[in-house]
Amino acid sequence: MMQTRKFFAALALPAFLVSTAHAGDKVKAGFTFQFNQPTGDLKADTHDKTGAGLGFILPVQLGNGHVLRPRLDVNVFRIAEYGRYSDDYREEVNFTAASIGMDYLYYVEGRNHGFYVSAGLNVTRWGLQYTTRDRHGSGYSSTSDYDRNSTNLGGALGVGYQFNRWFGMELRAVGANYKGQEGVPLGSTLGVSVKEVDRKGSAVQLVAAFAW
């Protein structure tokens, strides 16, 4: 737990210092919507299901097309969903990735408009969430259990286009390892003893970014 806090502090501190040093109209705040197409091990563990997420960004304009962008993302991949036809009972298993990091953006035209390339580092916390829902009379009951999977350092590479001062689109590849169990599907409740292995949590993201 202490190492996890140090990881997050190490990434959050530079973001705070940069944003403080470049206060005013050089700092923006914004948010992102992203769709995630898993690849590699994550594709297999999520049964090739597209994930979705939200993010908070704080772009800091350094001038001449250089930008630092602190970023906080939460992405969710649906692993399994089960429902009985005879009643309203539902089960869901989701794999979540919460990450905090810093991106560097370079605009090809030397100004904060048009095409840009990006590269970044982040710390990602993976977790499995089990949720059940059922109807009892006129109301619903639900339970939710979150199991932390692992926390690892990850990276991102992307290309994007800034259409105007408040809206841009980006396509990027992201990745951070997570823990899996050899021979057992992710999220399985089988009570067997198996070897724990590192799995590659890679995905291609299509991002819509809004900043003001």
Side-chain angles (χ1 to χ4, degrees):
M1 181 62 71
M2 184 60 67
Q3 290 182 346
T4 300
R5 291 177 180 175
K6 288 181 179 179
F7 269 134
F8 278 79
L11 287 170
L13 182 58
F16 174 77
L17 294 177
V18 169
S19 61
T20 301
H22 295 267
D25 59 359
K26 293 184 178 181
V27 180
K28 293 184 177 181
F31 60 93
T32 63
F33 296 104
Q34 54 257 7
F35 292 97
N36 307 278
Q37 180 56 46
T39 61
D41 295 334
L42 187 60
K43 178 178 180 179
D45 281 335
T46 59
H47 310 293
D48 198 18
K49 293 181 179 178
T50 301
L54 296 172
F56 172 77
I57 55 175
L58 194 69
V60 181
Q61 318 295 331
L62 303 180
N64 298 320
H66 301 278
V67 176
L68 286 180
R69 182 179 63 187
R71 176 165 53 91
L72 174 65
D73 291 329
V74 177
N75 294 288
V76 179
F77 299 88
R78 178 67 53 82
I79 293 179
E81 184 175 10
Y82 168 75
R84 294 195 297 248
Y85 291 105
S86 58
D87 54 34
D88 295 309
Y89 180 77
R90 295 291 183 272
E91 290 181 2
E92 296 177 1
V93 182
N94 294 321
F95 198 37
T96 61
S99 62
I100 184 170
M102 177 80 74
D103 296 328
Y104 165 73
L105 283 64
Y106 175 69
Y107 285 84
V108 177
E109 298 179 7
R111 58 191 181 95
N112 300 330
H113 186 81
F115 285 103
Y116 65 86
V117 294
S118 66
L121 290 175
N122 60 74
V123 173
T124 299
R125 176 175 177 172
W126 296 92
L128 282 167
Q129 186 171 21
Y130 305 84
T131 303
T132 65
R133 297 183 179 89
D134 199 1
R135 179 185 290 275
H136 293 280
S138 59
Y140 272 97
S141 68
S142 65
T143 64
S144 183
D145 183 27
Y146 182 84
D147 178 28
R148 184 175 66 86
N149 179 281
S150 60
T151 301
N152 290 296
L153 185 66
L157 292 173
V159 294
Y161 191 89
Q162 190 69 30
F163 293 93
N164 51 46
R165 64 183 301 270
W166 61 269
F167 175 70
M169 296 286 292
E170 186 172 341
L171 184 67
R172 64 179 176 231
V174 299
N177 287 356
Y178 62 91
K179 295 295 183 182
Q181 293 181 318
E182 195 171 54
V184 178
L186 188 67
S188 172
T189 57
L190 294 176
V192 296
S193 178
V194 295
K195 180 181 178 181
E196 191 175 68
V197 295
D198 286 329
R199 304 278 280 170
K200 296 186 181 300
S202 56
V204 176
Q205 290 185 338
L206 179 62
V207 183
F210 301 84
W212 57 87

